[in-house]
Amino acid sequence: LHFARRSSVALSRAARSFEPHWSRRESISWRHARRSSAVTARGYHRGVTHGAIVLCGGLSTRMGRAKALLPWRGRTLIEHVVGILREVVNEVVVVASAELELPALEAKLVRDREPKRGPLAGIREGLEAITSDFAFVTSTDAPFLAAPFVKAMLSFGVTAAPDVGGFVQSMSAVYAKTLARAANELIVSGRLRPLFLLEAGNFRRVRADELPDLDSMKSLNTPEEYLEALKRDGQTGGATVEFLGT
């Protein structure tokens, strides 16, 4: 790992030995390409299809490096998140900035046309690319994402988002594919909060007591949060990490 000020910290054995080796790939290989593009959801409403969208186009200024490439349980964080989602759905779309190089994933890769417009632009890209009727949307920095949480969110069969302590979790939410046009209209008008898109879809507010594995909504923004997550997950070992920033 390479971040600015040097600090000797406790990291996992997997993190120590992690050495990614890949070349830039615009066309990501994905096993489900052999299947029909309109994939039937696993155990949900008859005739309704479900997929997932992962956003990893952020600038990661506080983290100091791409969150998608952080080591987690012996692989990159983006590989971990896609793997969890593939336990629940057959169609996963990853939205990334043009300059971000990713490993091969079981997902379709699309590039964010306007990465500086925030997550709403990424959600628009994902909704335009996905073939499923509804998509669970998450950011790549969700190390504790759990399949039961994703299943629960999709089970409502409508646009939905957790409402925890009065805060709508728009980055752990389900969006209808039909909202792609509304997302574009919001971006053009300068209304860039994903909450506006949820409201356009008359979203269902999901209470915390309706959901399992609430840590699925936790994200990582700083090196300190990442290292704490490693410690909490039981990933221990010695390593020297350099942090970018002052």
Side-chain angles (χ1 to χ4, degrees):
L1 295 180
H2 297 283
F3 296 92
R5 61 181 187 278
R6 295 194 173 182
S7 173
S8 186
V9 298
L11 291 179
S12 69
R13 182 172 290 113
R16 281 184 293 152
S17 61
F18 181 83
E19 295 182 5
H21 294 286
W22 55 74
S23 59
R24 185 182 186 87
R25 301 183 184 185
E26 285 295 326
S27 178
I28 297 286
S29 63
W30 43 316
R31 208 175 352 176
H32 61 283
R34 298 190 300 268
R35 308 170 186 169
S36 169
S37 59
V39 192
T40 302
R42 300 173 183 172
Y44 298 108
H45 304 277
R46 181 180 295 275
V48 177
T49 55
H50 298 81
I53 298 168
V54 186
L55 306 185
C56 54
L59 299 177
S60 302
T61 53
R62 284 188 288 172
M63 184 64 72
R65 62 163 292 171
K67 299 177 187 178
L69 306 182
L70 290 172
W72 187 261
R73 299 179 185 174
R75 52 183 176 174
T76 61
L77 195 50
I78 182 62
E79 289 173 298
H80 169 74
V81 170
V82 169
I84 295 297
L85 294 172
R86 292 279 295 164
E87 294 178 20
V88 183
V89 300
N90 292 328
E91 184 182 26
V92 179
V93 172
V94 172
V95 182
S97 56
E99 65 276 5
L100 182 60
E101 298 182 17
L102 295 174
L105 301 167
E106 288 191 78
K108 179 180 180 179
L109 175 66
V110 298
R111 296 297 180 175
D112 194 343
R113 288 169 286 173
E114 300 181 273
K116 294 183 179 180
R117 303 302 293 272
L120 183 58
I123 294 172
R124 174 193 61 185
E125 305 290 358
L127 292 177
E128 289 180 350
I130 206 161
T131 64
S132 301
D133 298 317
F134 291 92
F136 175 80
V137 173
T138 182
S139 58
T140 189
D141 58 329
F144 299 111
L145 182 67
F149 177 87
V150 179
K151 291 179 182 178
M153 286 300 304
L154 289 170
S155 70
F156 297 108
V158 296
T159 296
D163 187 333
V164 181
F167 293 95
V168 175
Q169 306 297 315
S170 59
M171 293 306 296
S172 299
V174 174
Y175 296 79
K177 175 177 173 56
T178 54
L179 288 173
R181 181 175 179 179
N184 190 63
E185 292 172 350
L186 287 168
I187 292 169
V188 171
S189 66
R191 304 180 68 214
L192 302 180
R193 295 177 62 193
L195 177 60
F196 295 145
L197 184 60
L198 289 169
E199 292 173 341
N202 297 313
F203 77 106
R204 184 193 196 282
R205 291 177 182 264
V206 182
R207 301 188 314 274
D209 61 10
E210 297 180 87
L211 295 169
D213 301 304
L214 296 181
D215 283 350
S216 294
M217 295 179 280
K218 290 185 177 295
S219 60
L220 304 174
N221 294 306
T222 66
E224 290 76 16
E225 290 177 358
Y226 168 60
L227 296 172
E228 180 59 32
L230 287 172
K231 180 180 178 181
R232 175 184 168 184
D233 197 53
Q235 301 183 49
T236 58
T240 298
V241 177
E242 298 180 0
F243 295 102
L244 291 178
T246 57

